[in-house]
């Protein structure tokens, strides 16, 4: 009896020291039950697209371009340092799209992913200038990707879009596409439209009719895939509501930090522009009886907190961004519109890059823009705001101003247009807190760049005017 | 162990009580220091096996046969005494305490193995129950502060009900925010100190360093706090002992930021005149022409308060006595403090205990009932502890140690930015608000059901078609209303302990099999009333409901063989064991989104948008084999070792086995010096070294399930139409990932002088930690944000010193001092990742993202640097612009969050026989933290510094043109000294806009009186209660009575809520109370 017990106990004890192989074998204990190692590319595409609307609904660009004012915390509109990180966009949406490209199980999905990547890169380089591009998204093999110059990024994007348009096939399916529901023709139009908008952005660097930008513009304009030319063809996010709501709805979900600016309402009033009917709303409360009522009371721009507070307190009907019925849970966000493309064509015609008739495409752009908001063009508007013959003085100002209005509320596009053209004429914030008191020309690199990609960010910084990583430094196409 | 030895004596004595005797000797044994009777003292007749024990009154009675008998009195912790029996047959002795004998204290180690303190080769610090329970804290960590050298206790405000406190042992390791020590209760691992009832604790020993903790493997790498629970013993009469311990403590808010008390709320500097306009409520006509200050802006840049007539916030609401009346505009200096209730903690326990030669049994029921400082918060806790062992025969013993804790907590304990208590008071508030009136009006509602708020709109914006837009709070609720409308509850049921079966093969060899369990089940739910959304405009809380349950079961199956043998001068204690561990964790959670469809119906199905659901699962295993032993020679030379091999399920297969090891030696030389240096009563030198490989876990609870192989794709909760969503992983994982390695060695000396009236202990330790499995932040442009790989090295070294003295020992007065001091010499990052060229981690923790300075680890610098945006210095001076604003430097190092040294002093006085007084002080020096409260508090004109006077003697809030403004000194970009007067509001706003945050970095230095207790031993005998009551003690206690010194007066630096700083720190508190302990 005693001996048995000893043996039992000892053998239990020795379970440990004897069977070493058993000890180290844990079977599938460490298999995560909540995730898969197999990517589902259609779900990755949906995931990536779900955040595309956000790029066309950024308040910061709109604040610099003075579409908007801040109503209580006026940091951005008094130019507090825009020290912001771009890395989240690489590790987030760009990587989702990169996995689709890497898996490459459907050629057309690969092209769609590539087009969306170029769109995102475009918005990134327009904000920061030189950023990683050619060495980006390569995982562990390139943990410190070099920064490419904005010039090479622009050329890379335009070339890449062109290649994708050409590479679409007639068979492979595009699944999970919540923008164009797998319509390849629509993606070609979107890609060509992006090429045109990118090319026109380079007019300062390549003004000549036969120059790089003009050539790129014409190639896209004449591409067999066409471009976005009707509002039905717009690249836009059609929000389902519920857990995926329009960013503009979310912006006012409880809070009321942002307003249409007085700069904008003044501009619209001065032009007699009735698109203002859609641009400002009288309340953020979607359940209020007056939810769909317009407001024309723009909030003063770039003022101190107390001034802004006093203004909104005294003018409770101040203009919220967009009239309520354009700001519902399931309102659309237009990413690239037919009007934007038509007005870019107008600018190209004005610059002599194309042989299109300036006044035709210009009026087409304005008309498309009004139609986008469901507003009839006032009878006198086109005449009152007409452009002269190509090359006439003031045309660039008029076209730029119309591009600016037609891009509303896509603030980044407005900021791009203003930085390139200087139009509409903007007065910097009266209460600017930055050193020069001027409107920011770019975002500065985040401190994280200096610690995680030191050599490359310093090289990029050295290329900035004056070697300063400053919000006042002009990026390449702005120089 | 004292008690265990006592019990053993009892057993021995019972066995030998059958001899014939002649005469009966009686007497009393008292303690020399305080003259109090000593129960449980062993009384033995010299040269015989006859013996007994003193009762609770210190009395004994023993029969002796010998002609000239001598009695031997011995008691653990006291010096043994011999006394001849006089003819009177009465022997009264007093025993002097003997700290040397505390070395007999036994510490329970891994797998239930035990060893004595004398033979240890590391700095063995054991805190006994008395020292620990000076004021009967409810939190173990707080009770340890200052009493152990080499620890830093990070306490939390008492208002943060139920929040974990944290202990750092010998600095910090890893590249996170630091992992707290491991808690081991009678061999069972607990994740934190929460569910340990201090009344059950016999002693606490602290194992610092890899040498001491190697036996615990990976989990012990940050050191371990070993808790030994009291075992069953009978009372002095040999019967069931009953102890009742009942206490109550009252806690009040004590340390809050220093607020300004000169300027009223609002964004505008002047009072505004109200003019009645058509459509305004008719009752407002009474206010026509009167003045009001801005209610809408939640800052305090309003008019100077000089008792002028004004319309208070509540005057605009009808339906109460104060409606439509003006009052004087005066500061309310204590409004924030007045919000906090007096916290009341009732702490009761009853303990039953007995022991016979076969059975030991102890049962405790403890109950804590806390009503919190935060409105509508409470915590109720029930503890049950059952420890029992039973000898089946002289070979087999079974034992059970079962702890069950049930806790229910209510209330929203939130001190994050913009929370509804301190998030308002210290960051966005009005200095003229009367908290008493606020409390009185907490139920005030408009006819539309909108709850009244101090932060409503200004009357110019009143619109009869939308009265809610005026009456509802712009950002804030009446805080009382808010806390009435939220109902948050969390419940926890934890069961832990072990069942063990021991088989003694012979007197040297025994085998124990132990089953351990630590099971935790939680339930939580939060209900936010729909009324909240209706009563606020911007930052209103939507109606919501969320609920969660979790289940976690950790079990160990352990086998331990122990061999103890003395062969002549040699002794051996050897242990061989195995440990099979499995952890299973499951959780489910759900919450509503975007409000509730039916008002105040709290179900998940009532969600406006599709509700979110979550379910978590994790499973981890390890298997370990362990060998450890101590070899002694003549009880003066000792050598010990530990070897442990673990295999972890969480490490890559084939590479999942790791070895922990330690070696040490000690030489006890005190006795050898007895002749030559008689004043030296004890002496020991010791040295030890250990190495522990850690698994992949970042906390004490996990070994890192699923971190390897990583790179998985998760499915999103929601569908976009019919499309589901999937995101790519952001983390890369090195296929060669392995655990980190912690090594530490220490060398020390323990000395006792003058019969141990003076004791001194010093230890120097140094160690390194290498190859942390760390999610290295990589530049996101690579497509990934982190790469989990092995990086880095941290070197640490320090000095731990303990000192104790008994300057006065007499029957009427005695004074004891214990002091600890430890210095963290180094705790530096030697390298991060040379392989990937990374010399600084990404932000580890911040108070305001990476905008305000945040926590990083930087190669070549001390662990935990506060880094980020600050003032650019030129020639050592702040650089300022022509507008008087500081120029930003985005990459400034503000210093480490680690204090340089910590320590404490415990004074214990005994006087007038029955009184004792304990005063415990602890301190720390050095270390920094970031304050978000003061940043926003200054931005919004709440802090005292925003209402000071400038060098012209004028208020800084006066216009610069009128001689006001903040005078800013510095140099311009070319280094030329300049100075400007800057408008006060602009100055504080610019600190934020320009991201120049230097003024909001503070020191962690403090000296704090943490515990004071004045106790009185009620002379139950004299009062004639001796029949029923054996002893009774009444104590008046104080918790945190005085923050003696701190470089910041705005916060209690011992309670900073996060490693890097605070986001809306709850106030430091001060408590007073009573405690009565009665033994039957």
């Amino acid at each position: 009896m005693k001996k048995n017990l000893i043996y039992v106990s000892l053998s239990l004890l020795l379970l440990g020291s004897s069977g070493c192989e058993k000890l180290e074998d844990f079977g599938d204990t460490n298999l995560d039950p909540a995730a898969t190692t197999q990517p589902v590319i259609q779900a990755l595409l949906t995931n990536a697209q779900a955040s595309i609307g956000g790029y066309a609904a950024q308040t910061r660009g709109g604040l610099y371009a003075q579409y908007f004012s801040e109503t209580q915390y006026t940091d951005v509109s008094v130019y507090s340092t825009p020290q912001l990180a771009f890395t989240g966009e690489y590790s987030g949406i760009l990587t989702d799209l990169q996995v689709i490209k890497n898996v490459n199980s459907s050629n057309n999905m690969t092209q769609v992913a590539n087009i969306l990547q170029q769109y995102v890169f475009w918005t990134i380089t327009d904000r920061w200038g030189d950023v990683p591009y050619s060495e980006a998204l390569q995982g562990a093999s390139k943990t410190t990707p070099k920064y490419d110059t904005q010039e090479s990024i622009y050329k890379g994007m335009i070339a890449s879009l062109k290649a994708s348009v050409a590479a679409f096939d007639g068979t492979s399916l595009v699944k999970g596409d919540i923008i164009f529901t797998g319509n390849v023709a629509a993606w070609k139009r979107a890609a060509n439209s992006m090429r045109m908008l990118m090319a026109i952005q380079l007019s300062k660097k390549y003004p000549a009719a036969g120059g790089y930008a003009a050539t790129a513009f014409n190639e896209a304009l004449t591409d067999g895939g066409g471009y976005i030319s009707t509002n039905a063809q717009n690249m836009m996010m059609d929000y389902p509501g519920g857990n995926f709501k329009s960013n503009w709805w979310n912006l006012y979900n409880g809070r009321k930090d942002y307003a249409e600016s007085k700069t904008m309402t003044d501009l619209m009033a001065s032009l007699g522009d009735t698109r203002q009917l859609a641009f400002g709303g009288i309340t953020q409360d979607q359940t209020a009886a007056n939810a769909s009522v317009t407001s024309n009371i723009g909030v003063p721009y770039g003022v101190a907190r107390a001034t802004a507070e006093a203004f909104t307190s005294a003018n409770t009907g101040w203009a919220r961004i967009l009239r309520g019925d354009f700001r519902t849970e399931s309102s659309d966000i237009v990413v690239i519109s037919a009007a934007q493309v038509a007005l870019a064509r107008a600018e190209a015609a004005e610059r002599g890059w194309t042989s299109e008739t300036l006044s035709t495409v210009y009026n087409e752009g304005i008309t498309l823009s009004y139609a986008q908001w469901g507003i009839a063009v006032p009878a006198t508007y086109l005449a009152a705001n007409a452009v002269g013959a190509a090359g006439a003085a003031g045309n660039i100002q008029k076209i730029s101003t119309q591009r600016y209005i037609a891009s509303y509320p896509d603030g980044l596009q407005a900021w791009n247009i203003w930085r390139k053209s200087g139009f509409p004429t903007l007065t910097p914030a009266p209460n600017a807190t930055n050193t020069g008191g001027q409107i920011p020309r770019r975002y500065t690199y985040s401190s994280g760049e200096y610690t995680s990609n030191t050599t490359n960010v310093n090289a990029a910084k050295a290329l900035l005017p004056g070697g300063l990583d400053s919000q006042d430094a002009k990026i390449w196409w702005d120089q | 162990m004292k008690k265990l030895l006592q019990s053993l004596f009892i057993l021995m004595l019972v066995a030998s009580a059958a001899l014939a005797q002649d005469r009966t000797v009686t007497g009393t044994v008292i303690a020399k220091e305080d003259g109090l009777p000593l129960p449980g003292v062993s009384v033995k007749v010299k040269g015989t096996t006859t013996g007994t024990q003193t009762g609770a009154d210190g009395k004994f009675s023993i029969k002796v046969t010998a002609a000239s008998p001598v009695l031997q009195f011995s008691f653990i912790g006291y010096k043994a005494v011999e006394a001849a029996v006089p003819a009177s047959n009465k022997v009264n002795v007093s025993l002097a305490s003997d700290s040397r004998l505390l070395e007999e204290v036994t510490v329970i180690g891994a797998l239930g193995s035990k060893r004595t303190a004398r033979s240890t080769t590391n700095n063995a610090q054991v805190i006994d129950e008395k020292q620990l329970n000076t004021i009967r804290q409810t939190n173990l960590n707080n009770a340890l502060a200052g009493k152990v050298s080499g620890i830093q206790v990070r306490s939390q405000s008492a208002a943060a009900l139920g929040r974990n406190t944290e202990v750092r042992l010998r600095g910090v390791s890893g590249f996170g925010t630091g992992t707290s020590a491991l808690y081991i209760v009678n061999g069972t691992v607990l994740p934190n100190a929460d569910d340990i009832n201090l009344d059950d604790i016999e002693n606490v020993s602290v194992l610092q360093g890899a040498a001491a903790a190697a036996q615990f493997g990976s989990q012990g790498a940050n050191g371990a706090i070993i808790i030994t629970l009291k075992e069953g013993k009978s009372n002095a009469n040999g019967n069931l002992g009953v102890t009742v311990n009942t206490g109550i403590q009252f806690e009040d808010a004590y340390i809050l930021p220093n607020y300004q008390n000169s300027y009223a709320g609002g964004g505008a500097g002047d009072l505004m005149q109200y003019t009645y306009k058509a459509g305004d409520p008719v009752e407002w006509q009474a206010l026509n022409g009167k003045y009001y200050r801005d209610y809408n802006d939640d800052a305090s840049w309003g008019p100077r308060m000089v008792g002028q007539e004004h319309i208070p916030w509540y005057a605009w609401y009808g339906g109460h006595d104060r409606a439509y009346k003006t009052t004087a505009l005066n500061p309310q200096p204590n409004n924030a403090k007045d919000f906090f209730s007096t916290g009341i903690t009732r702490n009761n326990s009853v303990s039953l205990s007995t022991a016979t030669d076969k059975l030991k049994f102890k049962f405790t029921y403890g109950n804590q009932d806390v009503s919190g400082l935060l409105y509508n918060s409470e915590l109720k806790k029930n503890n049950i502890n059952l420890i029992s062992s039973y000898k089946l025969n002289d070979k087999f013993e079974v034992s059970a140690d079962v702890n069950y804790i049930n806790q229910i907590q209510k209330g929203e304990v939130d001190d994050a930015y913009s929370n509804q208590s301190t998030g308002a008071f210290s960051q966005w508030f009005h200095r003229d608000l009367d908290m008493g009136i606020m409390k009185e009006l907490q139920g005030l509602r408009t006819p539309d059901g909108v709850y009244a708020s101090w932060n409503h709109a200004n009357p110019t914006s009143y619109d009869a078609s939308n009265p809610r837009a005026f009456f509802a709070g712009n950002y804030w609720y009446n805080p009382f209303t808010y806390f009435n409308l939220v109902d948050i509850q969390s419940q926890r049921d934890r069961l832990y302990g072990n069942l063990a079966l021991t088989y003694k093969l012979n007197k040297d060899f025994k085998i124990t099999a132990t089953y351990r369990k630590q099971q935790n089940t939680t339930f939580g739910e939060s209900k936010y009333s729909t009324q909240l959304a209706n009563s606020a405009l911007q930052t209103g809380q939507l109606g919501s409901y969320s609920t969660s349950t979790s289940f976690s079961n950790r079990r160990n199956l352990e086998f331990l063989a122990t061999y103890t043998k003395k062969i002549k001068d040699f002794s051996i204690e050897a242990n061989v064991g195995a440990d099979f561990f499995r952890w299973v964790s499951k959780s489910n959670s759900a919450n509503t989104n975007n409000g509730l469809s039916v008002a105040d119906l709290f179900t998940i199905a009532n969600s406006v948008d599709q509700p979110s659901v979550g379910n978590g699962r994790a499973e981890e295993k390890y298997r370990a084999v362990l060998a450890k032993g101590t070899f002694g020679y003549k009880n003066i030379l000792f050598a010990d070792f530990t070897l442990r091999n673990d295999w972890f399920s969480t490490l890559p297969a084939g590479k999942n086995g790791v070895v922990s090891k330690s070696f040490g030696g000690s030489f006890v030389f005190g006795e050898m010096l007895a002749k030559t240096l008689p004043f030296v009563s004890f002496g020991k030198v010791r040295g030890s070294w250990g190495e522990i490989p850690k698994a992949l876990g970042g906390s004490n609870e996990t070994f890192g399930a699923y971190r390897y192989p990583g790179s998985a794709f998760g499915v999103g909760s929601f569908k976009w139409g019919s499309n589901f969503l999937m995101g790519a992983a952001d983390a890369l994982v090195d296929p060669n990932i392995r655990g980190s390695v912690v090594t530490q060695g220490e060398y020390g000396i323990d000395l006792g002088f003058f019969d141990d009236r003076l004791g001194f202990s010093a230890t120097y330790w140094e160690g390194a930690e290498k190859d942390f499995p760390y999610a290295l932040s990589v530049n996101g442009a690579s497509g990934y944000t982190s790469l989990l790989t092995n990086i880095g090295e941290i070197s640490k070294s320090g000095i731990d010193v303990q000192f104790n003295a008994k300057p006065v020992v007499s029957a009427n007065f005695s004074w004891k001092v214990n002091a600890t001091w430890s210095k963290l010499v180094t705790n530096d990052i030697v390298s991060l990742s040379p392989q990937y060229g990374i010399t600084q981690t990404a932000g580890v923790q911040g108070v305001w993202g990476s905008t305000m300075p945040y926590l990083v680890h930087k190669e070549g610098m001390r662990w935990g640097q506060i880094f980020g945006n600050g003032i650019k210095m030129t020639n050592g001076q702040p650089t300022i612009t022509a507008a008087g604003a500081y120029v930003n430097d985005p990459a400034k190092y503000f210093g480490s969050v680690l204090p340089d040294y910590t320590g404490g002093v415990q004074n214990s006085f005994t006087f007038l026989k029955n009184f004792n007084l304990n005063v415990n002080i602890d301190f720390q020096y050095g270390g920094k933290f970031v304050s978000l409260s003061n940043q926003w508090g200054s931005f919004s004109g709440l802090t005292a510094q925003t209402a000071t006077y400038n060098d012209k003697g004028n208020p800084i809030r006066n216009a610069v043109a009128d001689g006001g403004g903040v005078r800013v000194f510095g140099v311009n970009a070319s280094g030329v000294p300049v100075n400007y007067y800057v408008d006060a509001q602009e100055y504080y706003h610019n600190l934020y806009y320009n991201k120049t945050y230097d003024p909001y970095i503070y020191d962690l230095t403090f000296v704090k009186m943490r515990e004071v207790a004045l106790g009185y031993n009620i002379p139950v005998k004299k009062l004639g209660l001796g029949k029923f009551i054996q002893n009774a003690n009444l104590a008046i206690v104080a918790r945190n009575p005085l923050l003696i010194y701190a470089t910041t007066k705005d916060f209690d630096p011992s309670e900073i809520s996060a490693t890097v700083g605070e986001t809306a720190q709850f106030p430091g508190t001060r408590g007073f109370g009573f405690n009565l302990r009665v033994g039957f």
Side-chain angles (χ1 to χ4, degrees), chain A residues 103-451:
Chain A
V103 172
N104 195 24
S105 59
S106 156
N107 170 56
N108 283 350
M109 277 185 79
T110 298
Q111 305 318 324
V112 169
N114 187 55
I115 291 166
L116 287 168
Q117 274 191 335
Q118 304 317 311
Y119 173 75
V120 175
F121 277 124
W122 180 28
T123 70
I124 293 172
T125 185
D126 284 353
R127 285 175 284 168
W128 282 274
D130 297 355
V131 291
Y133 179 72
S134 60
E135 290 188 355
L137 310 176
Q138 293 179 19
S141 63
K142 269 280 185 289
T143 52
T144 52
K146 72 165 191 187
Y147 284 49
D148 294 281
T149 62
Q150 188 173 53
E151 179 175 9
S152 61
I153 296 170
Y154 257 81
K155 289 178 175 169
M157 294 186 302
I158 289 171
S160 183
L161 287 168
K162 182 179 171 183
S164 271
V165 170
F168 274 112
D169 61 52
T171 51
S172 59
L173 289 175
V174 178
K175 289 186 183 172
D177 178 5
I178 54 174
I179 297 179
F180 289 129
T181 56
N183 181 342
V184 167
W187 280 109
K188 288 183 183 171
R189 285 193 295 267
N192 288 334
S193 303
M194 279 179 215
R195 291 162 69 189
M196 292 157 74
L197 291 169
M198 287 173 185
I200 202 76
Q201 195 64 36
L202 305 184
S203 64
K204 250 179 166 170
K205 304 307 288 188
Y206 296 101
Y212 167 79
T215 309
F217 192 95
N218 271 304
E219 279 177 8
L221 182 69
T222 56
D223 187 281
Y227 48 81
I228 296 170
S229 58
T230 69
N231 281 317
Q233 293 172 349
N234 287 348
M235 176 175 170
M236 61 184 192
M237 300 304 302
D238 182 7
Y239 287 88
N243 294 94
F244 296 100
K245 297 183 171 74
S246 156
N247 295 52
W248 296 114
W249 186 92
N250 285 330
L251 194 68
Y252 290 102
N253 181 16
R255 302 202 56 121
K256 47 175 184 180
D257 294 295
Y258 301 94
E260 187 184 353
S261 74
K262 187 167 184 302
T263 312
M264 189 69 187
T265 51
D266 285 354
L267 173 71
M268 300 302 273
S270 71
L271 298 175
D273 197 315
T274 51
R275 280 173 286 185
Q276 176 57 31
L277 286 170
F279 286 3
I282 203 163
T283 174
Q284 73 276 8
D285 184 357
Q286 289 288 341
T287 61
N290 58 355
S292 299
V293 174
T294 299
S295 166
N296 299 319
I297 308 171
V299 171
Y301 177 80
V303 295
R305 172 175 155 79
T307 313
E309 290 259 6
F311 182 86
T312 53
S313 188
N315 301 276
T316 52
W318 54 271
R320 278 71 173 170
I321 301 171
L322 297 176
R323 200 173 69 202
D325 51 335
F326 290 103
R327 207 194 323 114
T328 67
E329 280 187 26
S330 53
S331 287
D332 299 337
I333 289 182
V334 175
V335 181
I336 298 172
S337 70
Q340 284 174 313
V341 175
L343 290 163
R345 285 160 58 206
E347 184 175 335
E350 160 67 19
R351 293 187 185 281
W353 290 5
T354 65
S355 53
E356 294 196 279
T357 308
L358 170 62
S359 58
T360 311
V361 282
Y362 175 75
N363 287 344
E364 183 188 333
I366 294 170
T367 311
L368 280 166
S369 176
Y370 267 91
Q372 184 188 327
W373 298 103
I375 297 164
V377 188
T380 56
Y381 188 86
L382 291 176
N385 295 293
V387 284
N395 277 359
I396 284 294
Q397 176 168 7
K398 282 182 174 164
I399 297 166
S400 297
T401 303
Q402 285 302 328
R403 290 187 64 201
Y404 174 93
I405 296 168
S407 293
Y408 190 89
D410 183 344
L412 179 56
Q413 286 306 316
W415 189 31
N416 282 355
I417 291 160
W418 173 81
R419 281 184 290 172
K420 182 180 78 114
S421 68
F423 300 118
T425 310
L426 300 176
T427 309
N431 285 57
T433 57
N434 59 338
T435 311
Q438 293 302 305
I439 299 174
R441 311 301 290 212
R442 63 182 281 273
Y443 298 176
T444 63
Y445 298 128
S446 80
S447 58
E449 287 302 298
Y450 287 93
T451 54

